Amino acid sequence: KQEVTQIPAALSVPEGENLVLNCSFTDSAIYNLQWFRQDPGKGLTSLLLIQSSQREQTSGRLNASLDKSSGRSTLYIAASQPGDSATYLCALVTGTASKLTFGTGTRLQVTL
Amino acid sequence: DAMVIQNPRYQVTQFGKPVTLSCSQTLNHNVMYWYQQKSSQAPKLLFHYYDKDFNNEADTPDNFQSRRPNTSFCFLDIRSPGLGDAAMYLCATSRERAAANEKLFFGSGTQLSVL
């Protein structure tokens, strides 16, 4: 059974800092890994998708990496802004059942 | 330009009173999913439809049912809501099932309160 862990559970940084969010998983037989953003009381917005054959994806100030052999992914946010404050969840598709397994997320606060 | 639309945004129901949550999509995707997310927890898959084929998760309580009358709409029925069913319910779609480049698109969710 796939288990997904995100550390830290919460993070507070001053505006302008670069930061890294971590995601680890136990089953490396994945189809892809996605990073989502969730604002309080809202749905999920997909940020980046890394296919199993890829090692990283970039979108603007965001860069996500994937290392299947070690069961780890990181989301790098450059030059953080207060608008980046949200919960960030990683999720993986494993097996044939199109099932997305989520981590519990990292709650990010970017302060002025 | 919302592509996955959930109604209502907030739903309040009474203990034991049946409630239905709705989801519609304009993406013409084959797969529709329902997730339950309790406060500060990871979203948990309840079931999904691949076209008309219903796929229930093994640990989804019988109290939760779903209907998909056509490609665009999917409903979540909770037959007898308990206090423990209070949560955010998220609908999502994908074009196809598990594949390396398949992305899931989520609606804004319905926050269910049970009194």
Side-chain angles (χ1 to χ4, degrees):
Chain A
K1 180 187 171 186
Q2 178 73 273
E3 292 183 8
V4 184
T5 305
Q6 290 188 248
I7 294 172
L11 180 65
S12 180
V13 301
E15 182 180 14
E17 261 200 22
N18 303 325
L19 59 103
V20 175
L21 307 180
N22 297 293
C23 172
S24 61
F25 49 94
T26 55
D27 183 355
S28 62
I30 65 172
Y31 282 94
N32 63 46
L33 182 147
Q34 296 180 57
W35 282 93
F36 292 90
R37 170 186 172 135
Q38 186 173 32
D39 292 287
K42 300 282 179 68
L44 279 70
T45 301
S46 180
L47 298 172
L48 289 164
L49 179 149
I50 310 177
Q51 298 180 32
S52 61
S53 59
Q54 298 174 328
R55 294 195 60 92
E56 66 176 338
Q57 282 289 321
T58 298
S59 175
R61 294 183 294 110
L62 305 179
N63 176 275
S65 69
L66 174 63
D67 183 346
K68 286 199 304 178
S69 62
S70 65
R72 295 176 65 179
S73 175
T74 60
L75 178 67
Y76 174 83
I77 303 177
S80 58
Q81 301 170 359
D84 295 331
S85 298
T87 296
Y88 291 81
L89 298 107
C90 69
L92 305 97
V93 175
T94 52
T96 57
S98 186
K99 187 172 176 175
L100 204 62
T101 302
F102 283 86
T104 50
T106 294
R107 192 170 65 254
L108 173 66
Q109 173 100 22
V110 180
T111 57
L112 290 169
Chain B
D1 291 17
M3 297 177 287
V4 182
I5 302 161
Q6 290 189 245
N7 285 306
R9 183 73 183 85
Y10 300 94
Q11 176 74 57
V12 180
T13 191
Q14 291 178 337
F15 183 94
K17 184 174 180 182
V19 65
T20 294
L21 310 182
S22 75
C23 177
S24 64
Q25 54 131 338
T26 60
L27 297 163
N28 205 35
H29 281 175
N30 285 318
V31 194
M32 294 186 79
Y33 311 79
W34 280 104
Y35 284 83
Q36 178 194 62
Q37 186 181 25
K38 295 187 178 178
S39 182
S40 301
Q41 294 185 20
K44 177 178 174 296
L45 181 64
L46 296 173
F47 25 60
H48 78 274
Y49 274 95
Y50 180 74
D51 194 13
K52 293 185 169 125
D53 182 28
F54 177 70
N55 298 269
N56 200 24
E57 291 300 300
D59 55 356
T60 297
D62 293 340
N63 199 24
F64 291 85
Q65 304 284 322
S66 186
R67 296 169 284 136
R68 188 178 185 187
N70 53 53
T71 301
S72 301
F73 285 87
C74 194
F75 300 98
L76 171 62
D77 301 308
I78 309 177
R79 292 194 295 191
S80 181
L83 299 178
D85 296 328
M88 172 76 85
Y89 289 88
L90 296 163
C91 174
T93 73
S94 65
R95 191 172 49 88
E96 288 294 334
R97 280 200 281 208
N101 60 347
E102 281 302 327
K103 204 184 255 196
L104 261 70
F105 294 82
F106 280 83
S108 299
T110 293
Q111 183 68 50
L112 178 69
S113 300
V114 181
L115 304 179

